[in-house]
Amino acid sequence: MTKRHFTIGIITLFLLCAALSANAAVDSRGEINVEGDNQGRAPASSTVTLIVALTIDRSLAEPGTEDIRTMEIRLAQAQMFWQTNFRFVARDGEPIAAVPEITGNILRIVLTNPIADLSNAYYEIVFDSRTPETTGAANFNVRLRNKEDRPIGEAIKPGNVDGKSNNNDFSLLVIPNVPPAPVQGFTVETEPTGENDVIIKWHKSADSDVNGYFIYRDADPPINVETPSATVFQDVNVPPGTHSYSISAYKTPLLQSTRSEPIFVDVHPDTAAPRPPAGVAINTVGGRIEVTWESSPTRDVAEYRLFFGRLSEPLTPILDETGNDGKIPADQPLEFIDRRALGVGVFIYAVEAIDEAGNRSEQTAQTLRILGEPFPNPFTPLSSNADYNRVVFPARAIEDAEGEFTVLIFNINGVLVKELIGDAGARELEWNGEDEDGNLVESGVYVYQMQVGESFKTGTVIVAK
């Protein structure tokens, strides 16, 4: 073999190996985050906990040559020295055995048992690191290596793999280790309407690097107000008694101002009734009745209670299939399905809100009319009451009939004044007292002819202006 052919062979072999490496069948995505900070920032000259999250798809991996033995994390900027202390590596939430190898800016996680199965998995590598004194961007490079310590494919691509709204990249920002100034104008007072809530106010920080505020109540974990422009927060459902509050501003959760002096406040039991729910709606679907409603604007509502009754009769709690007396927890879908077979009549469904202290709101009611005849009769087209300014023709007035639903309305001289045609599946038709030209008819008696399929029914309806 000539020297020229030998050189070409070497180059070809090199390109082939590079191609095989670049086109590895192991597909990976990942990100690095600072524990306690969602924006990928860390103060200079401080110790932070870093989390490298990876998703590794090995469904098409080449057995043997693409078994994962080492996960390598490298900081590209050599001038930024990070002192590192490895904690653990986990697969799908379960720790796996590994030995760290730390050299300068490189952290190698050598797995005790190489990853050889052909499955997808989620990994987290957690380690403490001392940030450098130098500020600016710190770009990380993460690679997988096989049992021969050769790279498996290219460096892992960045992306959201932990399902959280956070850094989603392999770059962190080291910021100056200068905490913001203490928060000014801090006040605390109880809610004046009888709720056991506490209203907290403060002045917005003048520091443009502030990203939020921590509110401390007693020895509880701090409340994180993640809005830099916020100046008020309502602490809901505070246990009765005396409580202390203080506040701090933060650039990152690791870099916050000193806390304000505590303010003490006496909180009384909740005596305020919640505001009633809105938007109660009733729909009949496939022989069942669905009742839905909108949530109460009061934030401490714990549950809703449903009531039912005929018109002009007292309402009583609905018992569901399990015997529960109409109570629906506020964190569940705001709906109730009544599977009872109701006869002809006018029925009332009502919903009330109940807070955590048992205070009850006023009821919000909705009417359900199951008609056997046109209702109301007579009706008043000029009335402002929607229950009485139109007449409803029910298809069920014609028993056991199927087909298209229409209603013809004639005056006493036999002249057609209005034709109502139902859409497919319509079971009710309404007449507002107008003729075909949109003009309101005169007061008096009108004859109607209802038709469902081939079945007919006639009668009279009275228009009373």
PDB file of all heavy atoms in Angstrom, residues 131-156:
ATOM      1  N   THR A 131     -19.418  29.388  43.315  1.00  0.00           N
ATOM      2  CA  THR A 131     -19.352  30.218  42.121  1.00  0.00           C
ATOM      3  C   THR A 131     -18.088  31.075  42.128  1.00  0.00           C
ATOM      4  O   THR A 131     -17.539  31.391  43.185  1.00  0.00           O
ATOM      5  CB  THR A 131     -20.583  31.131  42.022  1.00  0.00           C
ATOM      6  OG1 THR A 131     -20.618  31.969  43.180  1.00  0.00           O
ATOM      7  CG2 THR A 131     -21.863  30.330  41.953  1.00  0.00           C
ATOM      8  N   PRO A 132     -17.632  31.468  40.940  1.00  0.00           N
ATOM      9  CA  PRO A 132     -16.407  32.269  40.865  1.00  0.00           C
ATOM     10  C   PRO A 132     -16.659  33.715  41.264  1.00  0.00           C
ATOM     11  O   PRO A 132     -17.795  34.156  41.405  1.00  0.00           O
ATOM     12  CB  PRO A 132     -16.025  32.171  39.384  1.00  0.00           C
ATOM     13  CG  PRO A 132     -17.334  31.976  38.688  1.00  0.00           C
ATOM     14  CD  PRO A 132     -18.169  31.141  39.614  1.00  0.00           C
ATOM     15  N   GLU A 133     -15.582  34.451  41.430  1.00  0.00           N
ATOM     16  CA  GLU A 133     -15.686  35.875  41.714  1.00  0.00           C
ATOM     17  C   GLU A 133     -16.074  36.648  40.455  1.00  0.00           C
ATOM     18  O   GLU A 133     -16.680  37.715  40.530  1.00  0.00           O
ATOM     19  CB  GLU A 133     -14.367  36.403  42.262  1.00  0.00           C
ATOM     20  CG  GLU A 133     -13.950  35.783  43.600  1.00  0.00           C
ATOM     21  CD  GLU A 133     -12.632  36.329  44.079  1.00  0.00           C
ATOM     22  OE1 GLU A 133     -12.047  37.190  43.367  1.00  0.00           O
ATOM     23  OE2 GLU A 133     -12.166  35.900  45.159  1.00  0.00           O
ATOM     24  N   THR A 134     -15.722  36.106  39.294  1.00  0.00           N
ATOM     25  CA  THR A 134     -16.013  36.764  38.027  1.00  0.00           C
ATOM     26  C   THR A 134     -17.489  36.645  37.688  1.00  0.00           C
ATOM     27  O   THR A 134     -18.077  35.568  37.800  1.00  0.00           O
ATOM     28  CB  THR A 134     -15.183  36.136  36.897  1.00  0.00           C
ATOM     29  OG1 THR A 134     -13.828  36.078  37.294  1.00  0.00           O
ATOM     30  CG2 THR A 134     -15.325  36.928  35.612  1.00  0.00           C
ATOM     31  N   THR A 135     -18.110  37.748  37.262  1.00  0.00           N
ATOM     32  CA  THR A 135     -19.512  37.724  36.863  1.00  0.00           C
ATOM     33  C   THR A 135     -19.634  37.541  35.359  1.00  0.00           C
ATOM     34  O   THR A 135     -18.682  37.750  34.606  1.00  0.00           O
ATOM     35  CB  THR A 135     -20.222  39.016  37.286  1.00  0.00           C
ATOM     36  OG1 THR A 135     -19.606  40.129  36.644  1.00  0.00           O
ATOM     37  CG2 THR A 135     -20.166  39.206  38.792  1.00  0.00           C
ATOM     38  N   GLY A 136     -20.822  37.155  34.926  1.00  0.00           N
ATOM     39  CA  GLY A 136     -21.077  36.962  33.502  1.00  0.00           C
ATOM     40  C   GLY A 136     -21.646  35.592  33.227  1.00  0.00           C
ATOM     41  O   GLY A 136     -21.955  34.815  34.137  1.00  0.00           O
ATOM     42  N   ALA A 137     -21.778  35.255  31.936  1.00  0.00           N
ATOM     43  CA  ALA A 137     -22.371  33.980  31.532  1.00  0.00           C
ATOM     44  C   ALA A 137     -21.406  32.839  31.753  1.00  0.00           C
ATOM     45  O   ALA A 137     -20.197  32.969  31.531  1.00  0.00           O
ATOM     46  CB  ALA A 137     -22.796  34.042  30.074  1.00  0.00           C
ATOM     47  N   ALA A 138     -21.930  31.723  32.199  1.00  0.00           N
ATOM     48  CA  ALA A 138     -21.157  30.492  32.361  1.00  0.00           C
ATOM     49  C   ALA A 138     -21.858  29.409  31.558  1.00  0.00           C
ATOM     50  O   ALA A 138     -22.962  28.987  31.902  1.00  0.00           O
ATOM     51  CB  ALA A 138     -21.059  30.107  33.832  1.00  0.00           C
ATOM     52  N   ASN A 139     -21.228  28.986  30.475  1.00  0.00           N
ATOM     53  CA  ASN A 139     -21.833  28.014  29.574  1.00  0.00           C
ATOM     54  C   ASN A 139     -21.295  26.616  29.867  1.00  0.00           C
ATOM     55  O   ASN A 139     -20.076  26.414  29.917  1.00  0.00           O
ATOM     56  CB  ASN A 139     -21.543  28.390  28.118  1.00  0.00           C
ATOM     57  CG  ASN A 139     -22.118  29.747  27.762  1.00  0.00           C
ATOM     58  OD1 ASN A 139     -23.276  30.017  28.037  1.00  0.00           O
ATOM     59  ND2 ASN A 139     -21.307  30.599  27.158  1.00  0.00           N
ATOM     60  N   PHE A 140     -22.195  25.677  30.035  1.00  0.00           N
ATOM     61  CA  PHE A 140     -21.823  24.304  30.354  1.00  0.00           C
ATOM     62  C   PHE A 140     -21.973  23.422  29.122  1.00  0.00           C
ATOM     63  O   PHE A 140     -22.787  23.687  28.235  1.00  0.00           O
ATOM     64  CB  PHE A 140     -22.690  23.764  31.490  1.00  0.00           C
ATOM     65  CG  PHE A 140     -22.424  24.416  32.817  1.00  0.00           C
ATOM     66  CD1 PHE A 140     -22.946  25.671  33.108  1.00  0.00           C
ATOM     67  CD2 PHE A 140     -21.648  23.785  33.768  1.00  0.00           C
ATOM     68  CE1 PHE A 140     -22.716  26.278  34.336  1.00  0.00           C
ATOM     69  CE2 PHE A 140     -21.398  24.381  34.992  1.00  0.00           C
ATOM     70  CZ  PHE A 140     -21.928  25.630  35.270  1.00  0.00           C
ATOM     71  N   ASN A 141     -21.195  22.375  29.094  1.00  0.00           N
ATOM     72  CA  ASN A 141     -21.241  21.391  28.024  1.00  0.00           C
ATOM     73  C   ASN A 141     -21.386  20.019  28.669  1.00  0.00           C
ATOM     74  O   ASN A 141     -20.605  19.657  29.541  1.00  0.00           O
ATOM     75  CB  ASN A 141     -19.949  21.480  27.192  1.00  0.00           C
ATOM     76  CG  ASN A 141     -19.914  20.486  26.057  1.00  0.00           C
ATOM     77  OD1 ASN A 141     -19.791  19.287  26.270  1.00  0.00           O
ATOM     78  ND2 ASN A 141     -19.996  21.001  24.836  1.00  0.00           N
ATOM     79  N   VAL A 142     -22.418  19.283  28.261  1.00  0.00           N
ATOM     80  CA  VAL A 142     -22.683  17.968  28.861  1.00  0.00           C
ATOM     81  C   VAL A 142     -22.612  16.904  27.767  1.00  0.00           C
ATOM     82  O   VAL A 142     -23.267  17.038  26.722  1.00  0.00           O
ATOM     83  CB  VAL A 142     -24.064  17.937  29.554  1.00  0.00           C
ATOM     84  CG1 VAL A 142     -24.294  16.576  30.211  1.00  0.00           C
ATOM     85  CG2 VAL A 142     -24.175  19.060  30.578  1.00  0.00           C
ATOM     86  N   ARG A 143     -21.823  15.858  28.021  1.00  0.00           N
ATOM     87  CA  ARG A 143     -21.676  14.779  27.047  1.00  0.00           C
ATOM     88  C   ARG A 143     -21.820  13.438  27.736  1.00  0.00           C
ATOM     89  O   ARG A 143     -21.565  13.294  28.941  1.00  0.00           O
ATOM     90  CB  ARG A 143     -20.311  14.836  26.355  1.00  0.00           C
ATOM     91  CG  ARG A 143     -20.036  16.117  25.608  1.00  0.00           C
ATOM     92  CD  ARG A 143     -18.917  15.961  24.625  1.00  0.00           C
ATOM     93  NE  ARG A 143     -19.334  15.169  23.460  1.00  0.00           N
ATOM     94  CZ  ARG A 143     -18.710  15.212  22.276  1.00  0.00           C
ATOM     95  NH1 ARG A 143     -17.636  15.979  22.132  1.00  0.00           N
ATOM     96  NH2 ARG A 143     -19.120  14.491  21.278  1.00  0.00           N
ATOM     97  N   LEU A 144     -22.206  12.450  26.948  1.00  0.00           N
ATOM     98  CA  LEU A 144     -22.257  11.061  27.397  1.00  0.00           C
ATOM     99  C   LEU A 144     -21.067  10.317  26.799  1.00  0.00           C
ATOM    100  O   LEU A 144     -20.689  10.553  25.646  1.00  0.00           O
ATOM    101  CB  LEU A 144     -23.574  10.407  26.967  1.00  0.00           C
ATOM    102  CG  LEU A 144     -24.860  11.116  27.389  1.00  0.00           C
ATOM    103  CD1 LEU A 144     -26.082  10.404  26.816  1.00  0.00           C
ATOM    104  CD2 LEU A 144     -24.954  11.215  28.901  1.00  0.00           C
ATOM    105  N   ARG A 145     -20.480   9.407  27.592  1.00  0.00           N
ATOM    106  CA  ARG A 145     -19.341   8.633  27.104  1.00  0.00           C
ATOM    107  C   ARG A 145     -19.587   7.144  27.332  1.00  0.00           C
ATOM    108  O   ARG A 145     -20.247   6.763  28.311  1.00  0.00           O
ATOM    109  CB  ARG A 145     -18.051   9.071  27.805  1.00  0.00           C
ATOM    110  CG  ARG A 145     -17.632  10.506  27.438  1.00  0.00           C
ATOM    111  CD  ARG A 145     -16.309  10.887  28.075  1.00  0.00           C
ATOM    112  NE  ARG A 145     -15.859  12.189  27.617  1.00  0.00           N
ATOM    113  CZ  ARG A 145     -15.175  12.410  26.498  1.00  0.00           C
ATOM    114  NH1 ARG A 145     -14.855  11.380  25.718  1.00  0.00           N
ATOM    115  NH2 ARG A 145     -14.808  13.634  26.158  1.00  0.00           N
ATOM    116  N   ASN A 146     -19.051   6.318  26.443  1.00  0.00           N
ATOM    117  CA  ASN A 146     -19.272   4.875  26.552  1.00  0.00           C
ATOM    118  C   ASN A 146     -18.207   4.211  27.431  1.00  0.00           C
ATOM    119  O   ASN A 146     -17.383   4.897  28.056  1.00  0.00           O
ATOM    120  CB  ASN A 146     -19.322   4.233  25.164  1.00  0.00           C
ATOM    121  CG  ASN A 146     -17.993   4.360  24.419  1.00  0.00           C
ATOM    122  OD1 ASN A 146     -16.952   4.699  25.011  1.00  0.00           O
ATOM    123  ND2 ASN A 146     -18.017   4.083  23.120  1.00  0.00           N
ATOM    124  N   LYS A 147     -18.187   2.895  27.446  1.00  0.00           N
ATOM    125  CA  LYS A 147     -17.277   2.169  28.339  1.00  0.00           C
ATOM    126  C   LYS A 147     -15.814   2.339  27.941  1.00  0.00           C
ATOM    127  O   LYS A 147     -14.910   2.139  28.761  1.00  0.00           O
ATOM    128  CB  LYS A 147     -17.657   0.677  28.354  1.00  0.00           C
ATOM    129  CG  LYS A 147     -18.969   0.416  29.083  1.00  0.00           C
ATOM    130  CD  LYS A 147     -19.327  -1.047  29.131  1.00  0.00           C
ATOM    131  CE  LYS A 147     -19.792  -1.555  27.781  1.00  0.00           C
ATOM    132  NZ  LYS A 147     -20.308  -2.946  27.859  1.00  0.00           N
ATOM    133  N   GLU A 148     -15.569   2.740  26.688  1.00  0.00           N
ATOM    134  CA  GLU A 148     -14.201   3.025  26.249  1.00  0.00           C
ATOM    135  C   GLU A 148     -13.873   4.506  26.411  1.00  0.00           C
ATOM    136  O   GLU A 148     -12.857   4.994  25.918  1.00  0.00           O
ATOM    137  CB  GLU A 148     -14.021   2.606  24.779  1.00  0.00           C
ATOM    138  CG  GLU A 148     -13.918   1.105  24.563  1.00  0.00           C
ATOM    139  CD  GLU A 148     -15.268   0.418  24.747  1.00  0.00           C
ATOM    140  OE1 GLU A 148     -16.290   0.999  24.320  1.00  0.00           O
ATOM    141  OE2 GLU A 148     -15.291  -0.690  25.348  1.00  0.00           O
ATOM    142  N   ASP A 149     -14.751   5.235  27.082  1.00  0.00           N
ATOM    143  CA  ASP A 149     -14.600   6.669  27.342  1.00  0.00           C
ATOM    144  C   ASP A 149     -14.620   7.497  26.057  1.00  0.00           C
ATOM    145  O   ASP A 149     -14.050   8.574  25.988  1.00  0.00           O
ATOM    146  CB  ASP A 149     -13.321   6.963  28.132  1.00  0.00           C
ATOM    147  CG  ASP A 149     -13.438   8.280  28.920  1.00  0.00           C
ATOM    148  OD1 ASP A 149     -14.575   8.650  29.270  1.00  0.00           O
ATOM    149  OD2 ASP A 149     -12.409   8.934  29.152  1.00  0.00           O
ATOM    150  N   ARG A 150     -15.297   6.969  25.042  1.00  0.00           N
ATOM    151  CA  ARG A 150     -15.485   7.726  23.817  1.00  0.00           C
ATOM    152  C   ARG A 150     -16.850   8.428  23.863  1.00  0.00           C
ATOM    153  O   ARG A 150     -17.804   7.879  24.415  1.00  0.00           O
ATOM    154  CB  ARG A 150     -15.412   6.812  22.603  1.00  0.00           C
ATOM    155  CG  ARG A 150     -14.025   6.208  22.394  1.00  0.00           C
ATOM    156  CD  ARG A 150     -14.042   5.227  21.248  1.00  0.00           C
ATOM    157  NE  ARG A 150     -12.714   4.632  21.042  1.00  0.00           N
ATOM    158  CZ  ARG A 150     -12.481   3.637  20.211  1.00  0.00           C
ATOM    159  NH1 ARG A 150     -13.476   3.106  19.515  1.00  0.00           N
ATOM    160  NH2 ARG A 150     -11.251   3.171  20.093  1.00  0.00           N
ATOM    161  N   PRO A 151     -16.944   9.631  23.283  1.00  0.00           N
ATOM    162  CA  PRO A 151     -18.223  10.341  23.315  1.00  0.00           C
ATOM    163  C   PRO A 151     -19.305   9.615  22.528  1.00  0.00           C
ATOM    164  O   PRO A 151     -19.034   9.024  21.479  1.00  0.00           O
ATOM    165  CB  PRO A 151     -17.897  11.694  22.693  1.00  0.00           C
ATOM    166  CG  PRO A 151     -16.659  11.475  21.896  1.00  0.00           C
ATOM    167  CD  PRO A 151     -15.889  10.405  22.606  1.00  0.00           C
ATOM    168  N   ILE A 152     -20.490   9.644  23.041  1.00  0.00           N
ATOM    169  CA  ILE A 152     -21.654   9.071  22.362  1.00  0.00           C
ATOM    170  C   ILE A 152     -22.411  10.229  21.720  1.00  0.00           C
ATOM    171  O   ILE A 152     -23.113  10.990  22.392  1.00  0.00           O
ATOM    172  CB  ILE A 152     -22.577   8.313  23.345  1.00  0.00           C
ATOM    173  CG1 ILE A 152     -21.796   7.200  24.039  1.00  0.00           C
ATOM    174  CG2 ILE A 152     -23.787   7.758  22.619  1.00  0.00           C
ATOM    175  CD1 ILE A 152     -22.592   6.507  25.139  1.00  0.00           C
ATOM    176  N   GLY A 153     -22.237  10.398  20.438  1.00  0.00           N
ATOM    177  CA  GLY A 153     -22.904  11.496  19.745  1.00  0.00           C
ATOM    178  C   GLY A 153     -22.316  12.843  20.118  1.00  0.00           C
ATOM    179  O   GLY A 153     -21.224  12.951  20.686  1.00  0.00           O
ATOM    180  N   GLU A 154     -23.052  13.886  19.782  1.00  0.00           N
ATOM    181  CA  GLU A 154     -22.623  15.238  20.065  1.00  0.00           C
ATOM    182  C   GLU A 154     -22.967  15.607  21.500  1.00  0.00           C
ATOM    183  O   GLU A 154     -23.578  14.829  22.236  1.00  0.00           O
ATOM    184  CB  GLU A 154     -23.298  16.199  19.089  1.00  0.00           C
ATOM    185  CG  GLU A 154     -22.962  15.914  17.623  1.00  0.00           C
ATOM    186  CD  GLU A 154     -23.736  16.820  16.681  1.00  0.00           C
ATOM    187  OE1 GLU A 154     -24.695  17.471  17.148  1.00  0.00           O
ATOM    188  OE2 GLU A 154     -23.382  16.868  15.498  1.00  0.00           O
ATOM    189  N   ALA A 155     -22.581  16.831  21.874  1.00  0.00           N
ATOM    190  CA  ALA A 155     -22.963  17.328  23.200  1.00  0.00           C
ATOM    191  C   ALA A 155     -24.486  17.360  23.313  1.00  0.00           C
ATOM    192  O   ALA A 155     -25.203  17.559  22.331  1.00  0.00           O
ATOM    193  CB  ALA A 155     -22.388  18.724  23.421  1.00  0.00           C
ATOM    194  N   ILE A 156     -24.994  17.151  24.514  1.00  0.00           N
ATOM    195  CA  ILE A 156     -26.431  17.093  24.740  1.00  0.00           C
ATOM    196  C   ILE A 156     -27.047  18.460  24.433  1.00  0.00           C
ATOM    197  O   ILE A 156     -26.545  19.500  24.873  1.00  0.00           O
ATOM    198  CB  ILE A 156     -26.734  16.672  26.181  1.00  0.00           C
ATOM    199  CG1 ILE A 156     -26.248  15.223  26.397  1.00  0.00           C
ATOM    200  CG2 ILE A 156     -28.223  16.785  26.485  1.00  0.00           C
ATOM    201  CD1 ILE A 156     -26.433  14.716  27.803  1.00  0.00           C
TER     202      ILE A 156
END
